Amino acid sequence: MIATVTLNPSLDEWMSLPALRAGELNRATGFVRYPGGKGINVSRVVRELGERTVALALAGGEDGEILRRLMNRLSIPHDFVAVEGTTRNNYKIRTARPRALTEINTEGPRASRSVLHRLEERLLTHRPPPQCVVFSGSLPPGALPAIYRRWIRMLEPRGIPAILDSSGAALAAGLRARPWLVKPNRSEAGELLGVRLRRLVDVAQAARRLVARGPSLAVISLGPDGAVLASRMSNRVLVATPPTVPVDSAVGAGDSLVAGFVVGWLRSRSLPEALRLGVACGTAAAMTPGTELCRRADILRVKPRVRLRTI
Ligand SMILES: Nc1ncnc2c1ncn2[C@@H]1O[C@H](COP(=O)(O)OP(=O)(O)OP(=O)(O)O)[C@@H](O)[C@H]1O
Ligand SMILES: [Mg+2]
């Protein structure tokens, strides 16, 4: 079972409009609400792949209640800790002209020390103990950047590997706890290392440098160019290139990659196989609209077409 942790989830409000005009009344032609948050996305994709998951998160107020109901409707097992205040809303505005996605994110409710402590207890006492824990996304107000580091360290003596997909200070601090896997994208990795990652060789070198900082594995995702994987066990870097596909929205592609990689690893214990399934899930997510992540049929079609090589 794969546990995910989302400290700053959201209710995502998706709207479609022919065009968006500032300062005028705009009428939406479509509206749908989805549970948002990176760990929650990972859990959705783990379910789509047919494996067991639990999504741990903080939720509060009326919107937190709606979030719980949406999780139930999607049949995603979850364990939410109540926070004071209300779960945030993120607005996703899809326009036809120009064909674009405009996003407005709000700040989440404050996470008090006692709330974070409660979530920590749930994480450490969950039955059955998870096979691994995915820490994803930004931190809410009140959570210190070292929170993921603390939890990764607490899981280590229990033999539970951690996956870290965050950015900025939370990523930098978390790396020092030596998680099993980190999964920044090109710009997150570049920001962390203070370099611009233009060419593939630069990305491969960056993945090696990340591994030198503590994690066993580093995957740097590259959008349509796929992903690279460096491992502490080898000097070679694995490169996975997806096929060209019709792209709708790449929202949640990175989260889908993480889910596919972890499921692939747990099933096969093979890194090439894990990377192949991860990249197939990311690419399948890019093929669907933003509210959807990836469909099993697309994953199965894309997977054999992912090209793997080492450099
Ligand atoms: N336009 C695309 N075409 C094909 N595959 C894509 C495209 N965009 C993303 N992917 C797939 O999804 C994976 C992850 O994408 P990306 O690097 O954009 O993650 P990310 O920036 O972390 O995304 P997120 O917004 O979910 O955090 C890539 O490795 C690739 O397999
Ligand atoms: Mg990402």
Side-chain angles (χ1 to χ4, degrees):
M1 194 250 287
I2 298 166
T4 64
V5 174
T6 312
L7 293 182
N8 208 5
S10 57
L11 262 189
D12 288 354
E13 318 277 0
W14 288 84
M15 279 166 255
S16 336
L17 303 174
L20 181 66
R21 293 191 191 83
E24 288 185 29
L25 173 66
N26 293 276
R27 292 190 192 278
T29 47
F31 172 76
V32 62
R33 225 176 226 159
Y34 263 83
K38 294 192 160 290
I40 288 175
N41 285 346
V42 173
S43 282
R44 278 172 66 187
V45 176
V46 171
R47 285 275 301 161
E48 181 70 19
L49 290 167
E51 302 295 337
R52 293 177 64 197
T53 187
V54 61
L56 291 119
L58 304 180
E62 278 173 24
D63 287 332
E65 261 321 299
I66 297 173
L67 191 67
R68 283 174 210 270
R69 281 209 295 277
L70 292 176
M71 296 293 281
N72 286 333
R73 201 181 301 161
L74 292 170
S75 305
I76 301 162
H78 56 281
D79 186 354
F80 285 0
V81 173
V83 282
E84 266 187 49
T86 184
T87 293
R88 65 185 174 145
N89 302 80
N90 288 344
Y91 301 88
K92 315 270 176 188
I93 303 159
R94 252 184 317 210
T95 47
R97 289 180 315 276
R99 205 176 114 79
L101 179 72
T102 305
E103 298 180 78
I104 304 172
N105 285 6
T106 60
E107 200 177 54
R110 206 177 173 75
S112 66
R113 279 180 65 169
S114 66
V115 155
L116 291 170
H117 187 71
R118 225 168 292 146
L119 188 105
E120 180 176 302
E121 292 255 313
R122 305 258 183 108
L123 179 65
L124 298 178
T125 58
H126 198 276
R127 289 288 169 270
Q131 286 163 286
C132 61
V133 178
V134 181
F135 297 100
S136 286
S138 59
L139 300 177
L144 295 174
I147 188 88
Y148 290 145
R149 180 173 77 204
R150 172 182 167 89
W151 290 341
I152 294 165
R153 284 200 175 132
M154 289 177 147
L155 292 172
E156 208 207 319
R158 295 170 162 83
I160 301 174
I163 294 96
L164 180 61
D165 180 6
S166 191
S167 54
L171 171 62
L175 263 185
R176 293 180 22 218
R178 304 163 69 92
W180 174 62
L181 167 71
V182 287
K183 203 292 299 161
N185 61 25
R186 192 196 294 260
S187 63
E188 290 160 349
E191 189 199 317
L192 183 80
L193 298 168
V195 285
R196 282 197 64 181
L197 304 175
R198 282 197 207 92
R199 298 164 309 160
L200 188 63
V201 285
D202 303 327
V203 178
Q205 189 54 26
R208 286 194 197 94
R209 282 179 62 197
L210 287 178
V211 162
R213 290 202 187 187
S216 303
L217 304 171
V219 171
I220 300 179
S221 65
L222 306 169
D225 296 329
V228 306
L229 165 71
S231 145
R232 207 189 294 151
M233 310 302 285
S234 164
N235 255 334
R236 309 282 283 174
V237 169
L238 201 54
V239 180
T241 312
T244 305
V245 296
V247 172
D248 190 313
S249 151
V251 170
D255 310 327
S256 302
L257 187 161
V258 168
F261 188 93
V262 175
V263 167
W265 171 257
L266 292 176
R267 283 179 182 165
S268 68
R269 303 283 160 175
S270 148
L271 290 176
E273 179 58 24
L275 190 64
R276 183 186 287 281
L277 185 58
V279 165
C281 289
T283 298
M287 295 165 71
T288 61
T291 48
E292 266 187 76
L293 292 168
C294 45
R295 299 180 192 143
R296 202 187 294 228
D298 290 330
I299 300 167
L300 293 177
R301 232 173 295 135
V302 171
K303 195 177 151 217
R305 296 170 60 210
V306 174
R307 203 163 59 94
L308 285 179
R309 65 204 158 97
T310 52
I311 57 171

